[in-house]
Amino acid sequence: MTESSIGETLVSSEELQQRVAELGRQISADYAGRDLFMVGVLKGAVLFLADLMRHVDVPCEIDFMAVSSYGSQTDSSGVVRILKDLDAPIEGRHVLIVEDIIDSGLTLSWLVGNLKSRDPASVEICAMLRKPSSSQMDVEVAYTGFEVPDEFVVGYGLDYAERYRNLPFIGTLAPEVYGGNTSR
């Protein structure tokens, strides 16, 4: 990883932590008196979920799902596969999907439908980042950290070819690194 690989810093580490704390307070208020079942979408949402749950003061459990519609590509194939399913049933539970970024919305739309078919009490979405200009599906998001431009972004869990997840900020990846395709 070289300095020249990263273009512009879109969201600083300080801005991330401040917004995550705000989201945690909002989620705590909205779920007051209820238990929360947080579902982190692997791998990208791990850092966000870990930081977010430290700011949630209602009883909560976490679990993880891994779904793929990309394979090794940067464009969604449109076919979603579950790579890791939940370990616990969610029937009657208040589920909050914690996602790193919403790009096209295709995979997340499929995931919401899949989880709703399991008869939870509710299903909501909390996304760290959203690219509104590239959304192909109208996915209702209850909590959004930041809107980002239609550029390829990395850091704070987001990767390109499994690299850059460890950056403490959100930045753009130089187009020559990934070939200029902005889709995840």
Side-chain angles (χ1 to χ4, degrees), residues 77-171:
S77 67
V79 177
V80 179
R81 295 182 314 131
I82 295 177
L83 304 176
K84 188 249 180 258
D85 206 344
L86 297 174
D87 294 328
I90 59 170
E91 184 176 340
R93 308 289 305 269
H94 294 284
V95 175
L96 181 64
I97 300 169
V98 179
E99 179 65 287
D100 57 356
I101 188 167
I102 301 174
D103 196 334
S104 70
L106 294 169
T107 303
L108 189 56
S109 176
W110 181 90
L111 181 59
V112 168
N114 179 284
L115 292 178
K116 283 184 175 180
S117 74
R118 303 179 193 199
D119 202 25
S122 65
V123 175
E124 298 291 345
I125 299 167
C126 178
M128 179 180 57
L129 302 175
R130 187 166 196 178
K131 291 183 178 181
S133 63
S134 61
S135 182
Q136 296 175 21
M137 298 290 291
D138 186 24
V139 179
E140 189 174 326
V141 181
Y143 311 96
T144 302
F146 300 92
E147 290 191 355
V148 292
D150 192 21
E151 297 185 47
F152 202 99
V153 296
V154 293
Y156 197 62
L158 295 159
D159 75 302
Y160 174 70
E162 296 298 326
R163 297 182 65 189
Y164 309 102
R165 291 188 196 277
N166 60 322
L167 297 175
F169 59 88
I170 304 291

Side-chain angles (χ1 to χ4, degrees), residues 50-72:
D51 286 346
L52 180 64
M53 68 184 294
R54 284 178 234 183
H55 295 284
V56 172
D57 62 11
V58 297
C60 64
E61 293 179 42
I62 63 167
D63 203 344
F64 296 93
M65 286 189 79
V67 294
S68 174
S69 64
Y70 293 95
S72 61

Side-chain angles (χ1 to χ4, degrees), residues 24-46:
R25 286 190 296 273
Q26 185 180 358
I27 290 166
S28 296
D30 292 350
Y31 285 90
R34 297 184 280 171
D35 288 358
L36 182 59
F37 192 87
M38 301 171 82
V39 176
V41 181
L42 295 173
K43 297 178 186 172
V46 169

